[in-house]
Amino acid sequence: KCRTGPLDIVFVIDSSRSVRPFEFETMRRFMMDIIGSLDVGPNATRVGVIQYSSQVQNIFSLKTFFTRADMEKAINSIVPLAQGTMTGLAIQYAMNVAFTTQEGARPLHKKIPRIAIIVTDGRPQDRVTEVATQARNAGIEIYAVGIQRADMNSLRAMASPPLEEHVFLVESFELIQQFGKQFQDKLCGVDTCMEQEHSCQHSCISTPSSFYCECNPGYRLNVDGKTCSPIDACADGRHGCQHQCVSTRGSYSCRCRVGYYLNQDKRTCSMIDYCSFGNHSCQHECVSIPKGHYCRCRSGFTLQPDSRSCRATDLCNGVDHGCEFKCVSTEGSYHCMCPEGQQLQADGKACSKCGAGHVDLVMVIDGSKSVRPQNFELVKQFVNRIVDLLEVSPHGTRVGLVQYSSRVRTEFPLNKYHSADEIKKAVMEVEYMEKGTMTGLALKHMVEHSFSELEGARPLSHNIPRIGLVFTDGRSQDDISEWARRAKESGIVMFAVGVGKAVEEELRAIASEPVEQHFSYSADFTTMTHLVENFKLNICPEEGKGETEIRSPCECEALVQFQTNTVAILQSLTEKNILWAQSLAQMTARLEDLEKQIASKK
């Protein structure tokens, strides 16, 4: 068997009328002897056969058969054409059709030799020199085998150099089988991978005159032609994995983040329902999160230090009472109140909005490890309570959100969403970052990026107030003073909200003047509802600022109503004082009459 590497071989057989039937049988035997010496297969040597006379007929192409038995059966079924001798036409067909990748030839960059074996017994009836040159230039190595009456000049015009290795003249058809054994040695040559230092990292493939390197499945050949690198199947971005793509030797698999499991489609992920395990011990409600679960109490109850049990408490200390402005507790219940000048709406929770104005608001929330997942969910609800206070629209109030820990991430810029519902949905989809507390880095990011016109802040010339709200639960791990100062110097009104172990000194450094109106603190995440109320009292801009001048009807109506009520009360008091004075005078006169009567009787 031939031990060289894979070849793409096409036999070009002359079946003109000058080839008698018994002579054609020897040509069949010649082809089968050559094929019998080759290692044929889809990744080894591929073989095709065409016959020609006045026309060209494809017997089978390079992609048709991959076993010797199938090839021999097809060769034995050939019916000679028995017409003229158009050898140039056959070479043209081999170049334009038989040796194309569509017909099974391997791509040229794989360096698999393309070999045409032309067997003819006469002189061509068309020109062969020019078309043979084109075929050789296209990378086809041509062996020209002439039998008996063949024209030597035509054979030399067709064959590849050196001619002494590619031109053969056999005296008769009877000798062609003996020649076939000699031709096998020419075709196979030596195993160049064994004879030379190839330096191939994976596999060396011999060719009749050289060798080339090949990589194992899952690897690609580097530009040096010798070493191999793993194929990153994830790099093209077409893997469809929802969370993570893991490349494995030319293939890939999808993997989910911690707290999720891979669905049956092997691409999408679903969150693990830790509460369904039944071992959470929560007194009221269990809430699953990506890394576990936490317990939650029903409205009117507070979670105890054991993080499982609940105790009844002031209903207004929960975050679900829904009051827009202020919640007032009563025994076993509560009711909502609005600030002076605003009326409670029909839902018993919302207040009429007066003079809210236009602002660019960026909230910077602490996503450090100390916050913990269940408290981070409360922080997101806190953010959405603030969004509920605002009239969000492209020309009204714009809202952006930044989260920070050891690094800073813009969750969405000022120009991303144009309605409160869109913002609230995006807030609830924010993923908790964990790790450190780099508040100074977050302030720098807010100043340099969040309030840039590129991210949606309106130009300073429009006089739209810029408000920054920083929410943190602990001491910063970097310096905040410089960027807190720069933020305020750039015209940003800064609010600082602290919870738990937040440092008052840092909160005051962040807050704008007057500091008392611009910083708030709550000892516990579950009781920070009042912070929203404090923020509402201070967030509204001055009347008349912004692109559109705003005149609040509520302020005027409230003032007029107050004045009217006050005048009515004063008039009532005055009338009552006059009546009281008159009554007093009458009583005094009667007392004087009685005293006179008593004195006269004595």
Side-chain angles (χ1 to χ4, degrees):
K1 292 291 185 290
C2 189
R3 293 185 177 276
T4 52
L7 307 169
D8 286 343
I9 298 177
V10 174
F11 289 95
V12 184
I13 304 301
D14 180 356
S15 65
S16 60
R17 66 174 63 92
S18 62
V19 180
R20 287 168 287 187
F22 74 90
E23 293 174 338
F24 194 81
E25 293 305 313
T26 62
M27 296 175 70
R28 291 188 210 267
R29 190 71 256 167
F30 167 73
M31 287 188 285
M32 289 190 286
D33 287 346
I34 297 296
I35 292 171
S37 69
L38 301 172
D39 180 19
V40 297
N43 298 317
T45 293
R46 299 182 182 181
V47 178
V49 176
I50 61 176
Q51 69 165 332
Y52 73 94
S53 60
S54 298
Q55 58 187 0
V56 180
Q57 180 185 28
N58 180 49
I59 305 303
F60 59 86
S61 63
L62 292 168
K63 66 179 181 180
T64 306
F65 303 122
F66 296 113
T67 65
R68 282 186 290 275
D70 289 337
M71 294 177 185
E72 290 178 2
K73 182 178 179 181
I75 291 172
N76 284 326
S77 301
I78 298 174
V79 177
L81 298 172
Q83 296 174 357
T85 310
M86 303 295 286
T87 310
L89 181 65
I91 297 172
Q92 184 81 39
Y93 181 90
M95 177 177 63
N96 293 342
V97 180
F99 280 109
T100 61
T101 55
Q102 291 84 351
E103 290 297 303
R106 266 73 65 95
L108 289 172
H109 68 81
K110 289 195 172 182
K111 299 181 181 179
I112 294 176
R114 296 181 173 182
I115 297 174
I117 303 174
I118 302 173
V119 184
T120 181
D121 80 323
R123 182 189 299 274
Q125 294 176 339
D126 57 355
R127 295 182 180 180
V128 297
T129 303
E130 183 178 350
V131 69
T133 301
Q134 293 174 356
R136 294 194 299 269
N137 291 340
I140 302 172
E141 186 177 2
I142 301 177
Y143 288 86
V145 181
I147 303 174
Q148 202 169 326
R149 299 173 294 275
D151 178 54
M152 178 59 75
N153 289 332
S154 298
L155 296 176
R156 295 171 65 86
M158 292 185 286
S160 296
L163 297 178
E164 59 271 17
E165 294 184 8
H166 292 81
V167 177
F168 305 94
L169 184 61
V170 183
E171 294 179 359
S172 68
F173 281 95
E174 291 79 6
L175 297 175
I176 193 170
Q177 282 187 267
Q178 180 182 349
F179 161 74
K181 300 186 186 303
Q182 299 172 355
F183 185 75
Q184 291 172 17
D185 296 336
K186 287 285 184 183
L187 191 64
C188 294
V190 297
D191 189 343
T192 50
C193 288
M194 298 291 293
E195 298 292 327
Q196 301 181 29
E197 179 62 36
H198 55 76
S199 301
C200 295
Q201 183 178 355
H202 285 181
S203 304
C204 176
I205 309 298
S206 291
T207 63
S209 58
S210 183
F211 68 89
Y212 64 92
C213 297
E214 195 171 75
C215 296
N216 295 336
Y219 293 81
R220 64 163 56 92
L221 195 66
N222 294 328
V223 293
D224 61 8
K226 298 181 183 296
T227 60
C228 302
S229 298
I231 296 173
D232 185 359
C234 296
D236 61 8
R238 294 180 294 179
H239 49 77
C241 297
Q242 183 180 358
H243 284 183
Q244 299 169 354
C245 177
V246 180
S247 182
T248 53
R249 293 192 178 184
S251 184
Y252 69 90
S253 61
C254 297
R255 186 167 63 191
C256 297
R257 293 193 295 267
V258 175
Y260 293 80
Y261 64 87
L262 196 64
N263 294 323
Q264 290 185 351
D265 61 8
K266 302 299 183 184
R267 283 177 169 79
T268 60
C269 301
S270 296
M271 191 172 71
I272 297 172
D273 185 4
Y274 290 98
C275 294
S276 65
F277 298 164
N279 59 351
H280 51 75
S281 302
C282 296
Q283 182 180 352
H284 283 184
E285 299 172 1
C286 176
V287 181
S288 288
I289 56 177
K291 292 186 179 180
H293 73 278
Y294 68 91
C295 297
R296 182 171 65 191
C297 296
R298 293 192 293 271
S299 178
F301 293 81
T302 301
L303 193 66
Q304 297 305 291
D306 63 3
S307 297
R308 289 180 173 83
S309 58
C310 302
R311 187 176 67 186
T313 186
D314 183 353
L315 292 178
C316 287
N317 280 338
V319 293
D320 297 324
H321 59 70
C323 295
E324 181 180 340
F325 176 69
K326 185 176 182 180
C327 176
V328 179
S329 293
T330 58
E331 186 174 354
S333 184
Y334 69 90
H335 66 273
C336 301
M337 289 184 62
C338 292
E340 185 177 357
Q342 297 189 29
Q343 293 182 347
L344 196 63
Q345 299 299 292
D347 61 2
K349 296 179 179 181
C351 299
S352 57
K353 297 183 179 180
C354 301
H358 301 168
V359 299
D360 286 343
L361 171 63
V362 175
M363 287 179 274
V364 183
I365 60 174
D366 185 348
S368 62
K369 188 175 182 179
S370 60
V371 174
R372 295 189 296 175
Q374 61 268 34
N375 290 332
F376 191 73
E377 295 301 312
L378 296 178
V379 172
K380 293 196 290 187
Q381 294 180 30
F382 171 82
V383 170
N384 280 346
R385 293 291 306 281
I386 292 176
V387 174
D388 285 335
L389 303 177
L390 308 170
E391 295 285 358
V392 178
S393 68
H395 299 290
T397 291
R398 299 182 182 181
V399 178
L401 183 64
V402 173
Q403 185 185 174
Y404 73 95
S405 57
S406 299
R407 56 190 179 88
V408 184
R409 182 173 73 202
T410 296
E411 301 296 351
F412 51 85
L414 287 165
N415 55 5
K416 177 71 172 179
Y417 300 114
H418 305 308
S419 73
D421 288 341
E422 289 178 315
I423 293 172
K424 290 165 69 175
K425 180 181 178 184
V427 169
M428 296 311 296
E429 292 175 354
V430 170
E431 292 187 1
Y432 178 34
M433 293 174 70
E434 297 192 9
K435 297 189 178 179
T437 311
M438 303 294 283
T439 311
L441 184 64
L443 289 169
K444 181 177 184 292
H445 181 91
M446 180 194 73
V447 173
E448 294 184 340
H449 300 286
S450 301
F451 281 107
S452 66
E453 293 183 28
L454 183 65
E455 293 201 3
R458 269 87 50 110
L460 292 172
S461 60
H462 288 188
N463 292 325
I464 301 296
R466 296 182 173 184
I467 297 177
L469 171 62
V470 179
F471 185 102
T472 181
D473 85 321
R475 183 182 295 276
S476 176
Q477 294 173 340
D478 60 351
D479 179 60
I480 66 166
S481 57
E482 179 183 354
W483 286 101
R485 175 180 55 79
R486 289 196 186 187
K488 289 177 278 192
E489 288 177 352
S490 67
I492 302 171
V493 179
M494 296 298 299
F495 288 83
V497 177
V499 176
K501 296 181 180 180
V503 180
E504 182 177 350
E505 180 184 354
E506 292 185 354
L507 297 176
R508 287 179 172 274
I510 294 171
S512 293
E513 295 290 342
V515 173
E516 299 300 331
Q517 294 182 14
H518 291 82
F519 98 96
S520 302
Y521 173 81
S522 178
D524 189 281
F525 281 91
T526 62
T527 59
M528 59 185 183
T529 309
H530 69 280
L531 301 182
V532 178
E533 299 167 2
N534 292 347
F535 183 68
K536 180 177 181 180
L537 292 173
N538 293 289
I539 192 174
C540 293
E542 295 178 10
E543 298 291 335
K545 284 190 176 181
E547 297 178 59
T548 305
E549 184 176 357
I550 300 171
R551 294 294 182 184
S552 170
C554 296
E555 180 183 357
C556 181
E557 291 172 4
L559 181 59
V560 171
Q561 185 63 46
F562 175 76
Q563 291 173 340
T564 302
N565 292 344
T566 302
V567 171
I569 292 170
L570 289 174
Q571 288 176 345
S572 176
L573 290 174
T574 301
E575 292 173 355
K576 289 180 180 179
N577 286 338
I578 293 172
L579 292 173
W580 181 79
Q582 292 175 346
S583 298
L584 182 61
Q586 292 174 354
M587 290 178 63
T588 303
R590 290 184 62 186
L591 286 172
E592 289 177 353
D593 289 340
L594 288 172
E595 288 177 354
K596 290 178 180 179
Q597 292 176 10
I598 292 170
S600 64
K601 289 181 180 180
K602 290 180 179 180

